[in-house]
Amino acid sequence: MAKAPKSAPLLSDAPPENYEKAMAELNNLIARMEEETLPLDEALKAYRRGSVLLLFCRQTLKEAEQQVRILENDVLKAFDADAEPPRNRP
């Protein structure tokens, strides 16, 4: 009896290169999990990888927020799209 073909590799063990690539991988992973019936072991691996990606993204956003706080003198301000950009001081 012929074996069913294995699905394409679902996961990468490599750490994400950056936030954008981590989000893209996470979105692809979620879509694949929603579209396919994965065997339990693959679903668990996908869940673990998704957790790693989610933590990476959260940490990256936390670091970006900290940088914004530093730039704004430790006050995280609401974004006002209509506000004029700050003028450079001589």
Side-chain angles (χ1 to χ4, degrees), residues 12-24:
S12 167
D13 291 334
E17 290 181 37
N18 57 43
Y19 176 81
E20 290 77 12
K21 288 186 179 184
M23 283 298 297

Side-chain angles (χ1 to χ4, degrees), residues 3-10 32 36 39 41-42 45:
K3 290 184 179 181
K6 278 192 147 185
S7 58
L10 180 65
R32 185 159 180 196
E36 296 183 21
D41 61 329
E42 283 188 43
K45 289 176 186 176

Side-chain angles (χ1 to χ4, degrees), residues 71-73 77 79-90:
L71 292 172
E72 296 293 335
N73 295 321
K77 301 175 184 177
F79 178 72
D80 183 0
D82 297 325
E84 290 186 27
R87 297 174 190 232
N88 292 336
R89 295 181 191 166

Side-chain angles (χ1 to χ4, degrees), residues 57-81:
C57 290
R58 284 182 176 168
Q59 183 62 36
T60 302
L61 289 174
K62 185 177 179 180
E63 290 168 6
E65 182 179 304
Q66 182 59 31
Q67 290 177 20
V68 170
R69 284 183 186 271
I70 290 169
L71 292 172
E72 296 293 335
N73 295 321
D74 204 28
V75 176
L76 191 59
K77 301 175 184 177
F79 178 72
D80 183 0

Side-chain angles (χ1 to χ4, degrees), residues 4 8 10 21 26 32-35 37-38 47 50-51 53 56-57 65 75 81 85 88:
L10 180 65
K21 288 186 179 184
L26 185 58
R32 185 159 180 196
M33 290 177 73
E34 289 176 344
E35 292 172 1
T37 303
L38 297 175
Y47 183 85
S51 295
L53 293 169
F56 176 86
C57 290
E65 182 179 304
V75 176
N88 292 336

